[in-house]
Amino acid sequence: MIYILLIAGIFGAELGIKNHVEKHRKEGEERPALGGALLLRKYHNRGAFLDMGERVRPLVAFVSVLLSLVMTAVFVMTLGSRGSAILKTGLALLLGGAYSNTYDRLRRKYVVDYFSFGVKWQKLRRVVFNLSDFCIAVGAMMLVLGSGTE
């Protein structure tokens, strides 16, 4: 049950944050936060990571739905098994982020990204993320770690 709540919590938090960003931030506006470590922005990502697939948005949305469904099936199969806390937590993080970004792709036709890192390296500074991106990345790493423990 806790894993399902984690998925719902990520999805709900992201929905709230993204709706706030959509209503209260202007595209191109940049505000420093945490002493400049983060840059708050509003960016509509019409593709996947770094706008890859921007020209084939329906395909990106289809793949997003398909991968979310496959990972949901894996998650459901692991729920009944004993142990595997790292694996289940990883799947929950991954799914919470995936559901949020997939929702955006289907509903808004773009993913709302809203922060960058205030670093000197300009290539990284220009990349805009959302919390779901990190949930997906951390969840995927936990899947790798968790799959080797059983």
PDB file of all heavy atoms in Angstrom, residues 56-89:
ATOM      1  N   VAL A  56       7.927  14.120 -33.632  1.00  0.00           N
ATOM      2  CA  VAL A  56       7.086  12.910 -33.656  1.00  0.00           C
ATOM      3  C   VAL A  56       6.392  12.745 -32.300  1.00  0.00           C
ATOM      4  O   VAL A  56       6.435  11.684 -31.685  1.00  0.00           O
ATOM      5  CB  VAL A  56       7.909  11.655 -34.031  1.00  0.00           C
ATOM      6  CG1 VAL A  56       8.290  11.671 -35.495  1.00  0.00           C
ATOM      7  CG2 VAL A  56       9.141  11.512 -33.154  1.00  0.00           C
ATOM      8  N   ARG A  57       5.747  13.807 -31.860  1.00  0.00           N
ATOM      9  CA  ARG A  57       5.104  13.819 -30.539  1.00  0.00           C
ATOM     10  C   ARG A  57       4.115  12.681 -30.336  1.00  0.00           C
ATOM     11  O   ARG A  57       4.087  12.087 -29.267  1.00  0.00           O
ATOM     12  CB  ARG A  57       4.435  15.166 -30.283  1.00  0.00           C
ATOM     13  CG  ARG A  57       5.433  16.247 -30.001  1.00  0.00           C
ATOM     14  CD  ARG A  57       4.788  17.510 -29.560  1.00  0.00           C
ATOM     15  NE  ARG A  57       3.750  17.911 -30.504  1.00  0.00           N
ATOM     16  CZ  ARG A  57       3.320  19.135 -30.658  1.00  0.00           C
ATOM     17  NH1 ARG A  57       3.802  20.094 -29.933  1.00  0.00           N
ATOM     18  NH2 ARG A  57       2.388  19.425 -31.530  1.00  0.00           N
ATOM     19  N   PRO A  58       3.298  12.331 -31.323  1.00  0.00           N
ATOM     20  CA  PRO A  58       2.391  11.196 -31.095  1.00  0.00           C
ATOM     21  C   PRO A  58       3.144   9.897 -30.799  1.00  0.00           C
ATOM     22  O   PRO A  58       2.721   9.115 -29.954  1.00  0.00           O
ATOM     23  CB  PRO A  58       1.593  11.093 -32.399  1.00  0.00           C
ATOM     24  CG  PRO A  58       1.643  12.471 -32.977  1.00  0.00           C
ATOM     25  CD  PRO A  58       2.990  12.999 -32.609  1.00  0.00           C
ATOM     26  N   LEU A  59       4.265   9.694 -31.463  1.00  0.00           N
ATOM     27  CA  LEU A  59       5.074   8.505 -31.209  1.00  0.00           C
ATOM     28  C   LEU A  59       5.673   8.552 -29.804  1.00  0.00           C
ATOM     29  O   LEU A  59       5.666   7.548 -29.085  1.00  0.00           O
ATOM     30  CB  LEU A  59       6.186   8.364 -32.254  1.00  0.00           C
ATOM     31  CG  LEU A  59       7.136   7.182 -32.059  1.00  0.00           C
ATOM     32  CD1 LEU A  59       6.373   5.854 -32.128  1.00  0.00           C
ATOM     33  CD2 LEU A  59       8.248   7.218 -33.094  1.00  0.00           C
ATOM     34  N   VAL A  60       6.168   9.710 -29.397  1.00  0.00           N
ATOM     35  CA  VAL A  60       6.727   9.862 -28.053  1.00  0.00           C
ATOM     36  C   VAL A  60       5.640   9.581 -27.007  1.00  0.00           C
ATOM     37  O   VAL A  60       5.876   8.874 -26.022  1.00  0.00           O
ATOM     38  CB  VAL A  60       7.336  11.271 -27.854  1.00  0.00           C
ATOM     39  CG1 VAL A  60       7.696  11.516 -26.391  1.00  0.00           C
ATOM     40  CG2 VAL A  60       8.559  11.449 -28.743  1.00  0.00           C
ATOM     41  N   ALA A  61       4.447  10.090 -27.226  1.00  0.00           N
ATOM     42  CA  ALA A  61       3.339   9.846 -26.292  1.00  0.00           C
ATOM     43  C   ALA A  61       2.975   8.365 -26.258  1.00  0.00           C
ATOM     44  O   ALA A  61       2.757   7.796 -25.183  1.00  0.00           O
ATOM     45  CB  ALA A  61       2.121  10.688 -26.680  1.00  0.00           C
ATOM     46  N   PHE A  62       2.928   7.724 -27.418  1.00  0.00           N
ATOM     47  CA  PHE A  62       2.610   6.293 -27.486  1.00  0.00           C
ATOM     48  C   PHE A  62       3.647   5.468 -26.733  1.00  0.00           C
ATOM     49  O   PHE A  62       3.302   4.583 -25.943  1.00  0.00           O
ATOM     50  CB  PHE A  62       2.527   5.836 -28.948  1.00  0.00           C
ATOM     51  CG  PHE A  62       2.354   4.350 -29.095  1.00  0.00           C
ATOM     52  CD1 PHE A  62       1.118   3.756 -28.869  1.00  0.00           C
ATOM     53  CD2 PHE A  62       3.435   3.546 -29.434  1.00  0.00           C
ATOM     54  CE1 PHE A  62       0.966   2.384 -28.979  1.00  0.00           C
ATOM     55  CE2 PHE A  62       3.291   2.175 -29.554  1.00  0.00           C
ATOM     56  CZ  PHE A  62       2.047   1.586 -29.319  1.00  0.00           C
ATOM     57  N   VAL A  63       4.922   5.743 -26.963  1.00  0.00           N
ATOM     58  CA  VAL A  63       5.994   5.014 -26.280  1.00  0.00           C
ATOM     59  C   VAL A  63       5.916   5.263 -24.775  1.00  0.00           C
ATOM     60  O   VAL A  63       6.111   4.344 -23.973  1.00  0.00           O
ATOM     61  CB  VAL A  63       7.375   5.398 -26.852  1.00  0.00           C
ATOM     62  CG1 VAL A  63       8.510   4.856 -25.989  1.00  0.00           C
ATOM     63  CG2 VAL A  63       7.505   4.905 -28.284  1.00  0.00           C
ATOM     64  N   SER A  64       5.601   6.479 -24.384  1.00  0.00           N
ATOM     65  CA  SER A  64       5.461   6.818 -22.972  1.00  0.00           C
ATOM     66  C   SER A  64       4.338   6.001 -22.318  1.00  0.00           C
ATOM     67  O   SER A  64       4.507   5.447 -21.231  1.00  0.00           O
ATOM     68  CB  SER A  64       5.184   8.317 -22.835  1.00  0.00           C
ATOM     69  OG  SER A  64       5.157   8.704 -21.497  1.00  0.00           O
ATOM     70  N   VAL A  65       3.214   5.914 -22.990  1.00  0.00           N
ATOM     71  CA  VAL A  65       2.094   5.117 -22.477  1.00  0.00           C
ATOM     72  C   VAL A  65       2.477   3.637 -22.425  1.00  0.00           C
ATOM     73  O   VAL A  65       2.241   2.956 -21.424  1.00  0.00           O
ATOM     74  CB  VAL A  65       0.820   5.321 -23.338  1.00  0.00           C
ATOM     75  CG1 VAL A  65      -0.255   4.304 -22.988  1.00  0.00           C
ATOM     76  CG2 VAL A  65       0.289   6.741 -23.184  1.00  0.00           C
ATOM     77  N   LEU A  66       3.074   3.149 -23.496  1.00  0.00           N
ATOM     78  CA  LEU A  66       3.455   1.739 -23.564  1.00  0.00           C
ATOM     79  C   LEU A  66       4.436   1.364 -22.448  1.00  0.00           C
ATOM     80  O   LEU A  66       4.234   0.365 -21.746  1.00  0.00           O
ATOM     81  CB  LEU A  66       4.068   1.434 -24.934  1.00  0.00           C
ATOM     82  CG  LEU A  66       4.462  -0.023 -25.180  1.00  0.00           C
ATOM     83  CD1 LEU A  66       3.229  -0.921 -25.158  1.00  0.00           C
ATOM     84  CD2 LEU A  66       5.181  -0.144 -26.510  1.00  0.00           C
ATOM     85  N   LEU A  67       5.482   2.166 -22.263  1.00  0.00           N
ATOM     86  CA  LEU A  67       6.455   1.877 -21.207  1.00  0.00           C
ATOM     87  C   LEU A  67       5.833   1.988 -19.820  1.00  0.00           C
ATOM     88  O   LEU A  67       6.152   1.195 -18.924  1.00  0.00           O
ATOM     89  CB  LEU A  67       7.663   2.800 -21.326  1.00  0.00           C
ATOM     90  CG  LEU A  67       8.567   2.549 -22.529  1.00  0.00           C
ATOM     91  CD1 LEU A  67       9.663   3.609 -22.617  1.00  0.00           C
ATOM     92  CD2 LEU A  67       9.165   1.152 -22.486  1.00  0.00           C
ATOM     93  N   SER A  68       4.920   2.940 -19.645  1.00  0.00           N
ATOM     94  CA  SER A  68       4.222   3.061 -18.355  1.00  0.00           C
ATOM     95  C   SER A  68       3.384   1.818 -18.076  1.00  0.00           C
ATOM     96  O   SER A  68       3.356   1.322 -16.942  1.00  0.00           O
ATOM     97  CB  SER A  68       3.336   4.310 -18.338  1.00  0.00           C
ATOM     98  OG  SER A  68       4.117   5.473 -18.386  1.00  0.00           O
ATOM     99  N   LEU A  69       2.726   1.302 -19.100  1.00  0.00           N
ATOM    100  CA  LEU A  69       1.923   0.089 -18.935  1.00  0.00           C
ATOM    101  C   LEU A  69       2.788  -1.126 -18.610  1.00  0.00           C
ATOM    102  O   LEU A  69       2.451  -1.926 -17.733  1.00  0.00           O
ATOM    103  CB  LEU A  69       1.082  -0.174 -20.183  1.00  0.00           C
ATOM    104  CG  LEU A  69      -0.072   0.788 -20.426  1.00  0.00           C
ATOM    105  CD1 LEU A  69      -0.700   0.531 -21.791  1.00  0.00           C
ATOM    106  CD2 LEU A  69      -1.118   0.666 -19.330  1.00  0.00           C
ATOM    107  N   VAL A  70       3.902  -1.256 -19.301  1.00  0.00           N
ATOM    108  CA  VAL A  70       4.811  -2.387 -19.044  1.00  0.00           C
ATOM    109  C   VAL A  70       5.347  -2.316 -17.620  1.00  0.00           C
ATOM    110  O   VAL A  70       5.339  -3.313 -16.884  1.00  0.00           O
ATOM    111  CB  VAL A  70       5.967  -2.407 -20.071  1.00  0.00           C
ATOM    112  CG1 VAL A  70       7.061  -3.374 -19.654  1.00  0.00           C
ATOM    113  CG2 VAL A  70       5.443  -2.757 -21.459  1.00  0.00           C
ATOM    114  N   MET A  71       5.788  -1.130 -17.204  1.00  0.00           N
ATOM    115  CA  MET A  71       6.323  -0.982 -15.848  1.00  0.00           C
ATOM    116  C   MET A  71       5.230  -1.163 -14.798  1.00  0.00           C
ATOM    117  O   MET A  71       5.489  -1.665 -13.702  1.00  0.00           O
ATOM    118  CB  MET A  71       7.024   0.362 -15.684  1.00  0.00           C
ATOM    119  CG  MET A  71       8.261   0.518 -16.555  1.00  0.00           C
ATOM    120  SD  MET A  71       9.409  -0.892 -16.506  1.00  0.00           S
ATOM    121  CE  MET A  71       9.951  -0.848 -14.832  1.00  0.00           C
ATOM    122  N   THR A  72       4.001  -0.784 -15.122  1.00  0.00           N
ATOM    123  CA  THR A  72       2.885  -1.026 -14.202  1.00  0.00           C
ATOM    124  C   THR A  72       2.663  -2.523 -14.022  1.00  0.00           C
ATOM    125  O   THR A  72       2.447  -2.996 -12.900  1.00  0.00           O
ATOM    126  CB  THR A  72       1.597  -0.349 -14.722  1.00  0.00           C
ATOM    127  OG1 THR A  72       1.817   1.062 -14.815  1.00  0.00           O
ATOM    128  CG2 THR A  72       0.415  -0.621 -13.817  1.00  0.00           C
ATOM    129  N   ALA A  73       2.740  -3.273 -15.101  1.00  0.00           N
ATOM    130  CA  ALA A  73       2.583  -4.732 -15.016  1.00  0.00           C
ATOM    131  C   ALA A  73       3.686  -5.340 -14.153  1.00  0.00           C
ATOM    132  O   ALA A  73       3.413  -6.204 -13.295  1.00  0.00           O
ATOM    133  CB  ALA A  73       2.594  -5.352 -16.418  1.00  0.00           C
ATOM    134  N   VAL A  74       4.905  -4.897 -14.346  1.00  0.00           N
ATOM    135  CA  VAL A  74       6.019  -5.390 -13.515  1.00  0.00           C
ATOM    136  C   VAL A  74       5.774  -5.036 -12.055  1.00  0.00           C
ATOM    137  O   VAL A  74       5.968  -5.860 -11.157  1.00  0.00           O
ATOM    138  CB  VAL A  74       7.368  -4.811 -14.012  1.00  0.00           C
ATOM    139  CG1 VAL A  74       8.498  -5.134 -13.040  1.00  0.00           C
ATOM    140  CG2 VAL A  74       7.687  -5.309 -15.409  1.00  0.00           C
ATOM    141  N   PHE A  75       5.336  -3.814 -11.811  1.00  0.00           N
ATOM    142  CA  PHE A  75       5.045  -3.354 -10.449  1.00  0.00           C
ATOM    143  C   PHE A  75       3.968  -4.223  -9.799  1.00  0.00           C
ATOM    144  O   PHE A  75       4.125  -4.667  -8.656  1.00  0.00           O
ATOM    145  CB  PHE A  75       4.606  -1.885 -10.486  1.00  0.00           C
ATOM    146  CG  PHE A  75       4.213  -1.327  -9.153  1.00  0.00           C
ATOM    147  CD1 PHE A  75       5.167  -1.098  -8.175  1.00  0.00           C
ATOM    148  CD2 PHE A  75       2.893  -1.018  -8.878  1.00  0.00           C
ATOM    149  CE1 PHE A  75       4.809  -0.566  -6.940  1.00  0.00           C
ATOM    150  CE2 PHE A  75       2.527  -0.487  -7.656  1.00  0.00           C
ATOM    151  CZ  PHE A  75       3.486  -0.257  -6.681  1.00  0.00           C
ATOM    152  N   VAL A  76       2.888  -4.469 -10.502  1.00  0.00           N
ATOM    153  CA  VAL A  76       1.796  -5.292  -9.971  1.00  0.00           C
ATOM    154  C   VAL A  76       2.300  -6.696  -9.638  1.00  0.00           C
ATOM    155  O   VAL A  76       1.944  -7.261  -8.595  1.00  0.00           O
ATOM    156  CB  VAL A  76       0.603  -5.331 -10.955  1.00  0.00           C
ATOM    157  CG1 VAL A  76      -0.421  -6.378 -10.561  1.00  0.00           C
ATOM    158  CG2 VAL A  76      -0.047  -3.950 -11.046  1.00  0.00           C
ATOM    159  N   MET A  77       3.157  -7.249 -10.480  1.00  0.00           N
ATOM    160  CA  MET A  77       3.696  -8.588 -10.219  1.00  0.00           C
ATOM    161  C   MET A  77       4.594  -8.613  -8.987  1.00  0.00           C
ATOM    162  O   MET A  77       4.655  -9.613  -8.287  1.00  0.00           O
ATOM    163  CB  MET A  77       4.463  -9.106 -11.443  1.00  0.00           C
ATOM    164  CG  MET A  77       3.542  -9.442 -12.610  1.00  0.00           C
ATOM    165  SD  MET A  77       4.364 -10.268 -13.987  1.00  0.00           S
ATOM    166  CE  MET A  77       5.537  -9.058 -14.515  1.00  0.00           C
ATOM    167  N   THR A  78       5.280  -7.506  -8.701  1.00  0.00           N
ATOM    168  CA  THR A  78       6.174  -7.486  -7.541  1.00  0.00           C
ATOM    169  C   THR A  78       5.438  -7.201  -6.234  1.00  0.00           C
ATOM    170  O   THR A  78       5.954  -7.512  -5.171  1.00  0.00           O
ATOM    171  CB  THR A  78       7.287  -6.424  -7.688  1.00  0.00           C
ATOM    172  OG1 THR A  78       6.709  -5.131  -7.709  1.00  0.00           O
ATOM    173  CG2 THR A  78       8.120  -6.667  -8.915  1.00  0.00           C
ATOM    174  N   LEU A  79       4.256  -6.631  -6.320  1.00  0.00           N
ATOM    175  CA  LEU A  79       3.542  -6.253  -5.097  1.00  0.00           C
ATOM    176  C   LEU A  79       3.280  -7.445  -4.178  1.00  0.00           C
ATOM    177  O   LEU A  79       3.355  -7.316  -2.959  1.00  0.00           O
ATOM    178  CB  LEU A  79       2.222  -5.550  -5.421  1.00  0.00           C
ATOM    179  CG  LEU A  79       2.320  -4.075  -5.740  1.00  0.00           C
ATOM    180  CD1 LEU A  79       0.944  -3.505  -6.051  1.00  0.00           C
ATOM    181  CD2 LEU A  79       2.962  -3.301  -4.609  1.00  0.00           C
ATOM    182  N   GLY A  80       2.965  -8.585  -4.751  1.00  0.00           N
ATOM    183  CA  GLY A  80       2.652  -9.756  -3.947  1.00  0.00           C
ATOM    184  C   GLY A  80       3.864 -10.504  -3.427  1.00  0.00           C
ATOM    185  O   GLY A  80       3.740 -11.366  -2.569  1.00  0.00           O
ATOM    186  N   SER A  81       5.047 -10.151  -3.910  1.00  0.00           N
ATOM    187  CA  SER A  81       6.242 -10.879  -3.495  1.00  0.00           C
ATOM    188  C   SER A  81       6.788 -10.325  -2.185  1.00  0.00           C
ATOM    189  O   SER A  81       6.649  -9.148  -1.884  1.00  0.00           O
ATOM    190  CB  SER A  81       7.304 -10.816  -4.595  1.00  0.00           C
ATOM    191  OG  SER A  81       7.730  -9.484  -4.778  1.00  0.00           O
ATOM    192  N   ARG A  82       7.433 -11.205  -1.431  1.00  0.00           N
ATOM    193  CA  ARG A  82       8.062 -10.786  -0.171  1.00  0.00           C
ATOM    194  C   ARG A  82       9.361 -10.066  -0.485  1.00  0.00           C
ATOM    195  O   ARG A  82       9.997 -10.312  -1.499  1.00  0.00           O
ATOM    196  CB  ARG A  82       8.365 -12.000   0.696  1.00  0.00           C
ATOM    197  CG  ARG A  82       7.136 -12.656   1.231  1.00  0.00           C
ATOM    198  CD  ARG A  82       7.541 -13.883   2.056  1.00  0.00           C
ATOM    199  NE  ARG A  82       6.520 -14.182   3.018  1.00  0.00           N
ATOM    200  CZ  ARG A  82       6.595 -13.847   4.303  1.00  0.00           C
ATOM    201  NH1 ARG A  82       7.647 -13.258   4.791  1.00  0.00           N
ATOM    202  NH2 ARG A  82       5.596 -14.156   5.115  1.00  0.00           N
ATOM    203  N   GLY A  83       9.754  -9.203   0.430  1.00  0.00           N
ATOM    204  CA  GLY A  83      11.027  -8.512   0.257  1.00  0.00           C
ATOM    205  C   GLY A  83      10.996  -7.539  -0.906  1.00  0.00           C
ATOM    206  O   GLY A  83       9.965  -6.947  -1.206  1.00  0.00           O
ATOM    207  N   SER A  84      12.111  -7.369  -1.544  1.00  0.00           N
ATOM    208  CA  SER A  84      12.244  -6.499  -2.717  1.00  0.00           C
ATOM    209  C   SER A  84      11.844  -5.058  -2.441  1.00  0.00           C
ATOM    210  O   SER A  84      11.290  -4.386  -3.306  1.00  0.00           O
ATOM    211  CB  SER A  84      11.423  -7.028  -3.891  1.00  0.00           C
ATOM    212  OG  SER A  84      11.705  -8.354  -4.161  1.00  0.00           O
ATOM    213  N   ALA A  85      12.127  -4.548  -1.239  1.00  0.00           N
ATOM    214  CA  ALA A  85      11.745  -3.168  -0.910  1.00  0.00           C
ATOM    215  C   ALA A  85      12.428  -2.165  -1.838  1.00  0.00           C
ATOM    216  O   ALA A  85      11.801  -1.190  -2.267  1.00  0.00           O
ATOM    217  CB  ALA A  85      12.064  -2.855   0.544  1.00  0.00           C
ATOM    218  N   ILE A  86      13.698  -2.402  -2.155  1.00  0.00           N
ATOM    219  CA  ILE A  86      14.409  -1.483  -3.056  1.00  0.00           C
ATOM    220  C   ILE A  86      13.769  -1.527  -4.441  1.00  0.00           C
ATOM    221  O   ILE A  86      13.532  -0.490  -5.060  1.00  0.00           O
ATOM    222  CB  ILE A  86      15.910  -1.836  -3.136  1.00  0.00           C
ATOM    223  CG1 ILE A  86      16.586  -1.560  -1.794  1.00  0.00           C
ATOM    224  CG2 ILE A  86      16.601  -1.046  -4.243  1.00  0.00           C
ATOM    225  CD1 ILE A  86      18.025  -2.015  -1.711  1.00  0.00           C
ATOM    226  N   LEU A  87      13.463  -2.714  -4.904  1.00  0.00           N
ATOM    227  CA  LEU A  87      12.840  -2.878  -6.220  1.00  0.00           C
ATOM    228  C   LEU A  87      11.462  -2.216  -6.256  1.00  0.00           C
ATOM    229  O   LEU A  87      11.156  -1.456  -7.182  1.00  0.00           O
ATOM    230  CB  LEU A  87      12.717  -4.363  -6.557  1.00  0.00           C
ATOM    231  CG  LEU A  87      12.127  -4.717  -7.919  1.00  0.00           C
ATOM    232  CD1 LEU A  87      13.054  -4.281  -9.033  1.00  0.00           C
ATOM    233  CD2 LEU A  87      11.881  -6.220  -8.000  1.00  0.00           C
ATOM    234  N   LYS A  88      10.657  -2.449  -5.249  1.00  0.00           N
ATOM    235  CA  LYS A  88       9.302  -1.870  -5.213  1.00  0.00           C
ATOM    236  C   LYS A  88       9.345  -0.354  -5.086  1.00  0.00           C
ATOM    237  O   LYS A  88       8.567   0.356  -5.739  1.00  0.00           O
ATOM    238  CB  LYS A  88       8.511  -2.473  -4.060  1.00  0.00           C
ATOM    239  CG  LYS A  88       8.169  -3.935  -4.266  1.00  0.00           C
ATOM    240  CD  LYS A  88       7.485  -4.486  -3.033  1.00  0.00           C
ATOM    241  CE  LYS A  88       7.299  -5.984  -3.137  1.00  0.00           C
ATOM    242  NZ  LYS A  88       6.728  -6.561  -1.908  1.00  0.00           N
ATOM    243  N   THR A  89      10.264   0.150  -4.260  1.00  0.00           N
ATOM    244  CA  THR A  89      10.391   1.602  -4.121  1.00  0.00           C
ATOM    245  C   THR A  89      10.861   2.220  -5.430  1.00  0.00           C
ATOM    246  O   THR A  89      10.346   3.271  -5.857  1.00  0.00           O
ATOM    247  CB  THR A  89      11.373   1.952  -2.984  1.00  0.00           C
ATOM    248  OG1 THR A  89      10.907   1.350  -1.767  1.00  0.00           O
ATOM    249  CG2 THR A  89      11.489   3.454  -2.792  1.00  0.00           C
TER     250      THR A  89
END
